[in-house]
Structures are given as C-alpha cells and as structure tokens.
Amino acid sequence: MSSLFKQIFKQIKKYNNIVIVRHTGPDPDALGAQLALRDILRDKFRRKNIYALGNPASRFKHLGTLDKLEDNMSNTMLIVLDTPDIKRIDGVNLKDYDYIIKIDHHPFVEAYADIELIDDTASSTCQILLEMFLSLNIHISTSVAEKLYTGIISDTDRFLHDYTSVKTFELVTKLLKLTKLDFTKVYAPLYTRPIEEIKFQGYIFQNLTLTENGVAYIKIDEDLLKEYGVDSASPGNMINELKFVKDIVIWVFFSEDIKSNLIRANIRSNGPIINDIASRFGGGGHKYASGARLTSWQQTDNLILELDKICLEYKSNK
Ligand code: AMP
C-alpha cells in the first residue's frame, strides 16, 4: 500500500489541475473523502487548481461545499473516490482527463484508472485516505479530521459492521491523538433527523413483510412518501436499524423515485452474499450491504424471490 500511496502523490505533484469526484447519490463516506482530499491537497499545493465536483447532498451540507468548473481545463488529473464502476461516477466524463486515479474500498468491478488503489478490507474510503495521509506524514487539520471521522463512523455505523478492524481503531486513535477533533460533536449533524422521518420509520417497521425464509421487505411508493412528507432517499437512512432482528436474514426497502423514474432498493444481509444479485438488478455494493435500481414493481418481486432463494440455501448450509 505505501508504495501506491507514494506513486499517487508523485502523480498528483505533476498536475496543476485536479478534479476529485465520487459516486452518485453520495453518502458521508464518499462526500467526506472527496472534501477531505480536496482540502488537504489545497493546503499542501497552494498553486494548484483543485475542484470537488458532483451533485451535492443537502442532508450532508455541513461537511462542506462542492465546486463548479468555470472553464474547461486542459491537462487535468481526475481522482475518483469510493466508486468501483464507471456508470456510478457522478458528473464527469473520463475522456476529458489526462490521468485517472481510483481510490476505493468496494469489491473490484472494473478497471478504469491509470492507478487503481483498491482495498476492499478497508471499512471506508475515508479510512484508506487516513492511512495514506498518515503514512506520508501529511498534516491533517481539524476540519479534515472531522470529514474523515464522519466517513468512517458512517460507513461502519459507529464501528458496528464487519469491515471494522483493529486497523480501523488504530488509525482512528492516531487521528484523534494528532488532531484537535472533538468527536462527540460529529454525531448531531450526522444523525439529527426531521420528526416526519421518525414517524415514517414507525410506518415502515409496522408494515414490513417477512418471508418464510427470512427476507423482510417493504415497498414504498410516491404517494406514501408524499403522505409522510419525506423523500425517496429517506428509507435508506433507516435500513441499518434492522440489523439485529431475530428471524430477519436479509432485508430490503424499495422506494419509488419519480424524478429518476426508477425504484431504489436498499439491501442488507446478516449472512448470505447479496452484491452479485444486486448487480443483476442494476446495482452492486458490498457483500452484505448493496443497492439496486429497478425499473418496475414486477422487478421488485423478482428480486425478493432471488433473495429468498439465497436465504433458504444459506439456512440449509448452516
Ligand atoms: P445504500 O443502500 O444506498 O446505502 O448502498 C449500500 C452499498 O451499495 C453502498 O456501498 C453503495 O455504494 C452500493 N450501491 C448502492 N446503490 C448502488 C447502485 N445502484 N449500483 C451499485 N452500487 C450501489
């Protein structure tokens, strides 16, 4: 890893124009990594033009603001964070860039960069960046520390998920020792939710369907979202709440997204591997945490059937 870190910085030094992006529908890890890397590079290389591009996520605007490109730039490097495949890169065309670096913790999907730094044992992309900054002795400001810490706690659900490792704790300990980060202040902006969403959470939990083999699911259409005054991204904010429920092996929330004319699926598993099924339904992700994009309600039934099948296999093998 450390030689890849050095190689990445050697390339960064060569380019005066650098654009940093991440996946569509950004979560705190993707956004935190993007803004932390932008700010650290701006601090270290004051003469370079460094931009963080992509659609903003209003829910996480406390992490910082994204940039806009005024003119097309020539001789530009692109750094893509937290994104294993081209189709999920937000807001840029790879052809416009002279050199591309990928830094990601998702399982490998496709190669698209000149340097591919993939560590699918890392809890988050923020963890990989933290490791890189520490290994290269790069100064980490309190504000960058806050972004990195937010990404790590968000992707691990406060050190709960499987990819949380001794290394995660070691790196976070170093971060806390080296910076003045008050980590207790990070949680409120990240976890405070509108009361409408809590009521909606009540609805979801009341109305879950559980299949015989342990798939819990709910289908949420536009009318229901309107009735509760929440948007189609809201169900995704509560999917992890069902991790410790007896009899639930896999759980999935389907939410209609009228604007994009699709149905989003948030899928989680407590055992069977789900990302290969998700990728067959226009999605992907991690072994136990995936997402998909479906085009009809009929497809949601097909996905439920497939998930139910792997639950049965999983139970039989146990
Ligand atoms: P989510 O349910 O949106 O929190 O996503 C869980 C994981 O699946 C994250 O690692 C996402 O990056 C990934 N994921 C979500 N939606 C998609 C998609 N449409 N295609 C590929 N990966 C996805």
Side-chain angles (χ1 to χ4, degrees):
M1 281 287 260
S2 83
S3 75
L4 262 187
F5 292 154
K6 282 189 193 138
Q7 226 179 302
I8 286 174
F9 264 76
K10 201 170 142 198
Q11 291 302 326
I12 286 174
K13 279 181 192 150
K14 289 187 192 163
Y15 286 84
N16 268 333
N17 300 322
I18 299 173
V19 167
I20 305 170
V21 294
R22 35 70 198 162
H23 60 77
T24 52
D27 49 31
D29 182 38
L31 271 172
Q34 181 185 30
L35 295 167
L37 183 62
R38 179 197 63 186
D39 291 354
I40 227 159
L41 293 183
R42 278 187 180 165
D43 197 33
K44 198 169 160 54
F45 304 106
R46 300 201 170 205
R47 285 160 181 266
K48 290 188 193 289
N49 305 309
I50 302 165
Y51 300 91
L53 302 184
N55 277 316
S58 57
R59 193 185 164 85
F60 309 120
K61 60 176 187 287
H62 66 279
L63 287 173
T65 41
L66 293 159
D67 307 303
K68 283 207 167 65
L69 268 192
E70 271 106 52
D71 301 310
N72 276 342
M73 295 184 300
S74 58
N75 201 24
T76 305
M77 164 187 274
L78 179 71
I79 304 178
V80 186
L81 300 171
D82 203 37
T83 315
D85 50 352
I86 298 172
K87 77 174 183 337
R88 288 202 87 213
I89 300 174
D90 191 10
V92 293
N93 191 337
L94 296 188
K95 287 198 211 97
D96 297 335
Y97 295 88
D98 299 276
Y99 198 87
I100 302 173
I101 293 173
K102 178 208 274 183
I103 302 177
D104 189 22
H105 77 123
H106 289 88
F108 175 80
V109 176
E110 64 181 333
Y112 58 77
D114 299 286
I115 297 182
E116 299 242 331
L117 194 174
I118 299 164
D119 179 1
D120 62 8
T121 68
S123 70
S124 50
T125 297
C126 280
Q127 176 179 319
I128 302 175
L129 290 188
L130 173 58
E131 186 182 358
M132 177 160 80
F133 300 152
L134 291 173
S135 107
L136 298 176
N137 271 321
I138 295 172
H139 169 73
I140 301 174
S141 67
T142 310
S143 135
V144 165
E146 196 177 307
K147 294 168 179 54
L148 294 174
Y149 186 78
T150 301
I152 294 170
I153 58 162
S154 172
D155 254 30
T156 62
D157 205 2
R158 277 165 288 166
F159 309 109
L160 184 73
H161 297 315
D162 316 58
Y163 296 108
T164 312
S165 62
V166 173
K167 190 169 175 180
T168 312
F169 282 108
E170 279 172 353
L171 290 167
V172 167
T173 304
K174 282 187 190 151
L175 180 75
L176 296 179
K177 281 186 175 166
L178 274 175
T179 67
K180 293 199 174 78
L181 174 67
D182 180 353
F183 62 90
T184 61
K185 297 241 165 72
V186 168
Y187 301 105
L190 186 61
Y191 293 119
T192 304
R193 296 194 281 157
I195 190 81
E196 290 80 12
E197 208 173 282
I198 303 303
K199 291 183 179 172
F200 183 52
Q201 182 164 315
Y203 174 90
I204 290 184
F205 292 176
Q206 291 274 3
N207 290 281
L208 278 175
T209 302
L210 182 62
T211 68
E212 203 184 318
N213 295 311
V215 179
Y217 67 88
I218 185 156
K219 299 178 183 183
I220 300 154
D221 65 14
E222 171 73 6
D223 289 344
L224 192 66
L225 294 170
K226 272 203 187 128
E227 187 185 327
Y228 278 86
V230 295
D231 64 33
S232 66
S234 293
N237 299 329
M238 38 194 104
I239 186 81
N240 292 330
E241 306 283 334
L242 294 175
K243 187 169 171 68
F244 298 108
V245 183
K246 218 171 157 191
D247 301 329
I248 296 183
V249 183
I250 289 177
W251 61 108
V252 48
F253 294 170
F254 297 104
S255 342
E256 189 171 23
D257 180 349
I258 283 277
K259 267 193 236 147
S260 315
N261 195 25
L262 51 85
I263 300 160
R264 286 188 208 181
N266 302 99
I267 320 164
R268 299 292 186 269
S269 167
N270 271 334
I273 291 169
I274 50 176
N275 55 353
D276 44 357
I277 293 185
S279 65
R280 278 190 266 124
F281 285 84
H286 301 281
K287 277 199 275 187
Y288 308 119
S290 296
R293 294 167 150 239
L294 313 178
T295 49
S296 68
W297 290 107
Q298 173 61 45
Q299 274 199 320
T300 66
D301 291 330
N302 299 344
L303 177 56
I304 293 164
L305 279 178
E306 295 230 16
L307 294 173
D308 197 56
K309 223 190 310 170
I310 58 166
C311 274
L312 177 63
E313 280 164 20
Y314 178 76
K315 284 179 165 176
S316 325
N317 290 339
K318 262 180 118 184

